[in-house]
Amino acid sequence: MDEIGVIGAGGEGLAVVAHLSSTGRRVRLCTRNPQRVAGIRAGGEIGATGELEGRFPVAQVTADPAELARRCRVVVIAAITTAYPEIAASLAAHLTEDHVIVLFSGKLCGSAEFAASLSSAGAPEVDVVETDALFAARPDGDDGVRVLGTKRWNLLSGATPGAVERGAPVVREWFPWLEKATNLVHRGLTDFGAVAHAPIALANLGTIDRGEELLFYLDGVSDRTVALLREVEQEFREVAAAYGATLMPMPEVLDRYYGCTTTSLLDAMRSAAPYKTILAPGSLDHRFLHEDIASTLVPLEGLADKAGVATPMVGSIINVMSTLSGKSFRRNGRTLERLGWADLDHDEIRRALNPARTAGVRTSRPAPGSVAAAV
């Protein structure tokens, strides 16, 4: 437990590295392109500015997942969620039952997908737990990260009941403000970014396409934009309820994240400190938009269909984004087939998401994708 491996050298991954190192953990970083963090590799440390200030040691920068798994029992995945199957395949042969995988952020049912991908690649039974992205952060040169904000609250879940019981204490040592979610749908749909990113981007399509600078959460929102967000939020709420979870209103979520005014969703966005400087993506062909569509809205639509819940706004966003990007999100995203749930009905999936809350033991842990595999 002394060494922690982090896969992913984007803003979130670098912020996780800096945070963990700042608390005295020995951290190793794995990225497909070490040249992007050449300064960290050469100097053996990461510089942090913003909410976290200082320079903190980094034990290693490597491009080899096998070496990371060999040296680190706890492996944090802070890469884009659409890369989960590829990352799982690269790790599978190098994991043991003693490893713990922690996802930042899992989006909707990410730990179930990751566990199923590990199983398909022949890995032993491994605990997989997940939380949301906890940092608003950006890489800063090739040796640092700028932390714009840190979420002061979030939820934690996992691929099996036992994974949550065993993995939660590990993650809460790093982030003690995390709370256990009711189930994976509760954790995955308590995600303001998944509600807001695509509707705001589509409402500002012309500005983004022209490459004009836009403060995403300030200049990009209005009362009419927020009307779209409220409809999406309501569909999230109805799907969550169909699977035994209750979502808090998004202004309260933002207040718990960062502290903000909660009189309305528009006021909440405009008063959340990290959102005051965040620019819009340079195009609609952007990783966080693809991630929200592929890894939250696609599985949400599938779960909604199983439950008989109408999600016209979510479906329309998937349709429009698929057309604009030329990508088939419904075919290539996080489908129920990838979760192992395609042949289950609504009641069976609901039971899978809400098993008895008892600590599992390794000899009785269900296989990923089985009807007792996700919480």
Side-chain angles (χ1 to χ4, degrees):
M1 195 84 63
D2 292 335
E3 295 195 356
I4 302 168
V6 177
I7 295 179
E12 181 73 10
L14 295 176
V16 170
V17 168
H19 172 83
L20 293 176
S21 182
S22 75
T23 62
R25 273 82 176 183
R26 184 173 170 85
V27 185
R28 298 176 185 271
L29 174 63
C30 182
T31 173
R32 289 184 298 181
N33 184 8
Q35 191 57 37
R36 291 178 55 194
V37 288
I40 299 175
R41 191 178 200 179
E45 62 180 15
I46 184 170
T49 58
E51 274 203 359
L52 180 62
E53 294 275 352
R55 300 198 69 83
F56 308 105
V58 178
Q60 180 188 32
V61 175
T62 179
D64 185 2
E67 184 173 7
L68 196 77
R70 185 168 60 250
R71 293 180 176 274
C72 305
R73 187 173 76 84
V74 179
V75 178
V76 173
I77 312 298
I80 188 168
T81 57
T82 51
Y84 279 3
E86 176 187 349
I87 294 170
S90 73
L91 286 171
H94 313 293
L95 298 176
T96 70
E97 289 188 354
D98 290 330
H99 277 93
V100 177
I101 303 294
V102 182
L103 307 179
F104 283 74
S105 82
K107 293 296 176 182
L108 180 55
C109 300
S111 56
E113 180 191 36
F114 202 94
S117 296
L118 286 175
S119 181
S120 295
E125 295 178 1
V126 174
D127 287 338
V128 184
V129 296
E130 65 173 79
T131 187
D132 194 6
L134 298 183
F135 300 96
R138 302 289 184 268
D140 188 7
D142 66 1
D143 68 345
V145 61
R146 179 162 182 77
V147 181
L148 304 173
T150 304
K151 292 174 183 172
R152 306 180 309 188
W153 171 88
N154 223 291
L155 295 173
L156 176 71
S157 192
T160 66
V164 177
E165 295 302 321
R166 290 184 292 266
V170 175
V171 183
R172 291 178 73 178
E173 279 188 20
W174 314 337
F175 304 101
W177 57 88
L178 294 178
E179 297 178 6
K180 290 183 185 178
T182 302
N183 57 37
L184 275 180
V185 168
H186 182 212
R187 202 227 62 77
L189 295 185
T190 303
D191 181 352
F192 177 70
V195 169
H197 287 159
I200 295 175
L202 289 173
N204 293 276
L205 173 60
T207 301
I208 291 173
D209 263 356
R210 289 190 296 270
E212 298 173 7
E213 189 171 290
L214 176 76
L215 289 170
F216 194 64
Y217 295 104
L218 296 185
D219 302 333
V221 296
S222 67
D223 287 330
R224 291 189 179 186
T225 314
V226 171
L228 297 176
L229 271 61
R230 283 196 295 265
E231 289 298 315
V232 175
E233 179 184 357
Q234 182 59 29
E235 292 180 8
F236 273 46
R237 192 177 306 283
E238 291 173 4
V239 173
Y243 290 93
T246 301
L247 302 186
M248 67 179 65
M250 284 300 163
E252 184 178 344
V253 171
L254 286 178
D255 186 42
R256 291 194 179 200
Y257 283 176
Y258 302 121
C260 64
T261 303
T262 59
T263 49
S264 70
L265 184 53
L266 185 59
D267 291 340
M269 284 188 286
R270 287 178 169 170
S271 62
Y275 288 176
K276 294 180 179 180
T277 59
I278 292 178
L279 295 172
S283 77
L284 289 187
D285 190 28
H286 191 277
R287 63 183 295 273
F288 80 62
L289 292 172
H290 291 176
E291 188 176 42
D292 287 328
I293 305 299
S295 300
T296 296
L297 300 192
V298 166
L300 180 147
E301 186 181 56
L303 290 170
D305 183 62
K306 291 281 188 180
V309 175
T311 54
M313 285 296 297
V314 166
S316 295
I317 290 169
I318 296 171
N319 289 340
V320 172
M321 289 297 294
S322 296
T323 299
L324 294 176
S325 68
K327 298 180 183 297
S328 179
F329 289 111
R330 287 189 177 91
R331 184 173 66 245
N332 300 320
R334 185 177 290 165
T335 61
L336 296 189
E337 285 81 3
R338 286 194 179 185
L339 298 175
W341 298 346
D343 295 330
L344 305 182
D345 64 24
H346 168 242
D347 288 338
E348 289 170 328
I349 297 174
R350 184 174 170 125
R351 285 196 296 271
L353 288 164
N354 299 281
R357 297 270 169 180
T358 57
V361 293
R362 295 191 182 277
T363 55
S364 62
R365 176 161 46 188
S370 74
V371 294
V375 296

